[in-house]
Amino acid sequence: MRDREAAPLEAALRTAVRGEVAFDAGARALTTMDASNYRRVPLGVVAPRDTEDVAAALEVCREHGVPVVPRGGGTSIAGQATGTGVVLDLTRHMNRLLSLDAEARTAVVQPGLVLDRLQEAAAPHGLRFGPDPSTHGRCTLGGMIGNNSCGSHSVAWGTTADNVRTLEVLTARGARLRPGRGWAGAPDGLRELAGSRLELLRTGFATDLPRRISGYALDALLPERGADVARSFCGSEGTLGVLTEATVRLVEAPRAVALAVLGYADETAAAQAAPGLLPHRPLTVEGMATDLVPSAGGLPRGGAWLFVETGGANGTEARARAERIVRAADALEALVVTDPAARRTLWRIREDAAGTATRMPDGTEAWPGWEDCAVPPARLGAYLRDFRRLLAAHGLRGVPYGHFGDGCVHVRIDFDLLTEPGVARYRRFSEELAGLVTSYGGSLSGEHGDGMARAELLERMYGAEAVRLFERAKGVWDPDGLLNPGVLVRPAPLDANLRFAPLPREPVDVEFGYPGDNGDFRAAVRRCVGVAKCRTTTAAGSEVMCPSFRVTGEEAHSTRGRARLLHEMLAGEVITDGWRSEEVRDALDLCLSCKGCRTDCPVGVDMATYKAEFLHHHYQGRRRPAAHYSLGRLPEWLRAVDRTRLARVVNALAAVRPAAALGKRIAGVAPERAIPRLAPTSFTREWERRPPRALHPEGVRRPEGEGHPDEAAHPEGGGHPDGGRAVVLWPDTFTEYLSPSVGLSAVRVLEAAGLTVTLPPVLPPGGPRIADGRTAGLRGALAVLAAGRRRGRVCCGLTYLSTGQLDRARTVLRRTLGLMEPVLDAGLPVVVLEPSCGAALRSDLPELLPGDPRAGRLAAAVVTLAEALERHAPGWTPPRLDRPVAGQTHCHQHAVLGDAAERRLRGAAGLTGDLSGGCCGLAGDFGFQPGHQEVSVACAEEQLLPAVRAAGEDAVLLADGYSCRTQLDQLAGKRAQHLAEVLAEALDRDEGKD
């Protein structure tokens, strides 16, 4: 059906369905892909409100002869959550926990309920749902039932099918069924079909394979297995009926858990050891190779590990069971972990593997497709050896990991899916691997379903007779072939509908360097494989990604959704206007540029950079929003105000409501926002009022008149015998014009630590230089630093970057690099107080100017206040405050700079407790732009504001970011401080006591 022919269908659906009906390019683009290699373009998307809406949508689609695909979290890895007809988004409204019976240990759920929400509701009763895929924070119960998902704890609690009691299902022809045991809810003809093929059902389906997920579970219909229609429906991948409700079994959760980490030479040795641990009844037996572990520090010696979890009534019992497993295991080395935080850290490595495995250690792309084959656990070691040989024979690489206790192996392989020869090799390898798996008595799918990736090869596993039986079963449930055609039965070829096919053949001209993707924006966008960690509704610990999705719940405002839109923009089939796309612009509009995805996304998607890139092209040669000229060029406006000494006048006008309203309207600032007050005197002017300071050639301040030691005695950039060193304090725009107290406090702290502080200079004409323009050595550099009282207008370009004014950003940054040359030549550290500015210098600068070696040198010189104290004043002890803290770690600090040094500094100062994660919601100019107020406030309400409200009166409110402090001031009436201010006040207090 062509797009124009979809109009009658759309009109009929809008009349019949109370939920949302979307046939626009944006909605369609968001659902072209799941977490697989496949792409199918739907006609439209329907978000039904309830069962009646599902029935109405099915009736309309049946009348129009249009296929229907049910979709949950869209994390399917075999392509079964994509389709060419109407996609039913069951997560928007049909996402509730309907009831939970703790005594009966059951729960009634809707298909769009995310697994973690069920776990949270069951936990107070000491219960949980047994299966737990690594995507538990965003996968839905409906999707788990559709794929018969398993997860890490399947050795203890089985697959989803093992934990389903009854289902409520709508067939494509509108029949409402309630599948269960004893032929309950069977469609007409199913019992007769099964009865006619009892011998095949008994002999053609392996019953001793824990992870047999491929095909239809028709053997569950055998009388000796209870004629369980619900169980046979599990794993049908949306091809038999649309699930509208399910009653599931809950299990008792262990009161205490311990984790034994066992080290082995490689994953084959680990796989061989796994079956021997099963008699000890562990909760998990998970395998992980070293190539998937970012840092093996703290793990036992080995090239691969088994993560074996044990439970108990208390910590002592759980640990004792883990230690018994360690004694029974033939491991190189072992470790037992009971601390909950340490266990979470290790499990995060395992859960993120579906994403991290998409990049080989050398950065090469790797893909799913043969993601979860399973063999009998006792044969897993031998299978892995043969699997490695097959990879080598085809010149392919992959790193196996997964559920070794159940014989299920996950792997991403460096297939070339971009060229015809590469795709042909993918097909040959797939056919040979299917033969290898079946020769071991295995299943082509051990967890994620067949979809379009493996369904074509099911005959190799089951034989032609069983596959024909699958087709007949499909005909009983769905005679018209309306539900998810091309999946499981009568499948599309495994090398058709690949999502890479429509992308441009040649690289796209872009502004950033994209160093992790060899400068190729197409590869950068391909990073998103769809595992959808960005769709979690609660941030874990200090994680940030993705604040806009958490407060809106809309796919378009997730990192994955935006990446999908960019993919379709490059493909040009659904989104046809390229960089001018309004769909992409609107989705990026609520991106806070928090950079959380850069760190929290398992594959390192950097949507803040993609957004800046898009905005640059989108507005090139066109008029921009007013906020881009006001807030986007904030450094220029603030510099002009400072130069004309009009800060007090501006503040006075901002206090007059009509004048402020007019100013905000002209500047494109949200009317709900108060205009921040400017500092009457800038930080630099305050600095220049200080008395001159003598500098050593090594960069150490001495009292006036004291002689300098021989320069040759100390190398360039070296320190003084008493440990001091010069540091350059970066006068960022926010510190300079809005909160100079932060800069002055930092100077106080740095000097108390024995460091000499200076600011970036403007090189005076005729200053000490050599022929190639570099400063003449360290003595010359320091002479420049000491000479004159004028300082340079250095700028990190943050506001230009965030608004996509990349030409202007490049000009500003090149000028800054010129001013910073003497600092770079002297090898001095550059202390940046504002986290967003530090992140811009550390990451955006070298990526925007990849050909300028000075960019990398400045990026490497950037340190935070805590890093400067830790590295260059290691003997200094901060003043003790012995008070609790509340506040927030800046999102850019978390994503780019890291906060380990800050944590250690706070600990040394007796500042106890953790800062909240997430994003404050102001995010530079984001919260000041019209239309963003609701999302901005909601982001703040997620973690920051509740943490501050819950803090005691003696708590220190910390927020190193100016935006975070402003958000707290404007929304909570609370004054937060930079860590430098807190330490400086303590120094002054202690000095006063002396």
Side-chain angles (χ1 to χ4, degrees), residues 774-833:
R774 291 184 295 111
T775 322
L778 180 60
R779 185 180 293 277
L782 293 173
V784 170
L785 293 175
R789 304 298 288 172
R790 288 194 307 126
R791 299 289 163 178
R793 297 169 182 171
V794 295
C795 179
C796 69
L798 173 68
T799 61
Y800 308 104
L801 290 162
S802 62
T803 52
Q805 301 180 73
L806 301 186
D807 290 337
R808 207 173 191 92
R810 194 178 284 109
T811 298
V812 166
L813 289 171
R814 282 177 176 151
R815 183 184 69 222
T816 293
L817 289 174
L819 295 171
M820 292 296 290
E821 282 189 21
V823 172
L824 301 178
D825 289 345
L828 301 178
V830 179
V831 182
V832 185
L833 302 174

Side-chain angles (χ1 to χ4, degrees), residues 216-491:
Y216 292 137
L218 297 182
D219 56 319
L221 301 175
L222 286 165
E224 61 265 32
R225 301 193 66 187
D228 195 337
V229 180
R231 187 183 184 93
S232 73
F233 185 90
C234 293
S236 58
E237 303 181 26
T239 62
L240 302 182
V242 179
L243 178 72
T244 59
E245 192 176 298
T247 301
V248 298
R249 175 177 77 113
L250 302 176
V251 299
E252 184 178 357
R255 294 185 179 181
V257 172
L259 178 64
V261 185
L262 312 174
Y264 295 90
D266 54 32
E267 79 272 357
T268 300
Q272 289 174 324
L277 305 180
L278 297 178
H280 296 276
R281 302 181 66 184
L283 301 177
T284 68
V285 183
E286 296 291 291
M288 174 75 74
T290 186
D291 285 343
L292 295 175
V293 179
S295 172
L299 288 175
R301 177 169 54 92
W305 297 273
L306 289 180
F307 293 1
V308 185
E309 195 173 73
T310 58
N314 52 54
T316 301
E317 185 178 54
R319 185 178 186 90
R321 289 178 176 174
E323 289 173 344
R324 281 199 296 271
I325 284 178
V326 169
R327 290 192 295 272
D330 184 19
L332 298 175
E333 198 170 280
L335 172 72
V336 174
V337 182
T338 56
D339 176 66
R343 286 192 292 107
R344 281 195 299 269
T345 299
L346 289 170
W347 277 120
R348 177 180 174 181
I349 295 171
R350 166 63 186 84
E351 291 174 352
D352 283 352
T356 55
T358 62
R359 284 293 188 277
M360 304 297 294
D362 63 359
T364 304
E365 294 171 303
W367 304 107
W370 287 95
E371 175 69 19
D372 61 320
C373 297
V375 299
R379 308 188 71 184
L380 181 59
Y383 164 75
L384 281 177
R385 280 194 297 271
D386 284 345
F387 173 72
R388 286 286 194 186
R389 293 189 188 103
L390 184 62
L391 282 174
H394 285 269
L396 297 169
R397 296 175 299 161
V399 182
Y401 67 98
H403 314 292
F404 284 13
D406 270 342
C408 181
V409 176
H410 295 318
V411 63
R412 299 289 171 102
I413 301 173
D414 63 339
F415 296 120
D416 167 17
L417 300 177
L418 304 176
T419 67
E420 288 186 12
V423 172
R425 180 168 60 168
Y426 170 61
R427 167 170 281 281
R428 291 194 302 272
F429 175 83
S430 299
E431 292 169 345
E432 292 183 32
L433 181 55
L436 177 63
V437 172
T438 55
S439 74
Y440 274 89
S443 175
L444 302 185
S445 171
E447 181 161 29
H448 297 140
D450 299 304
M452 292 185 285
R454 292 176 284 270
E456 183 188 351
L457 302 171
L458 282 176
E459 191 168 315
R460 295 174 181 243
M461 175 180 170
Y462 284 104
E465 192 177 3
V467 168
R468 301 294 86 76
L469 186 61
F470 291 162
E471 293 176 357
R472 292 175 63 191
K474 161 78 168 174
V476 168
W477 282 90
D478 179 23
D480 307 309
L482 195 74
L483 297 175
N484 214 357
V487 169
L488 267 181
V489 299
R490 293 181 285 276

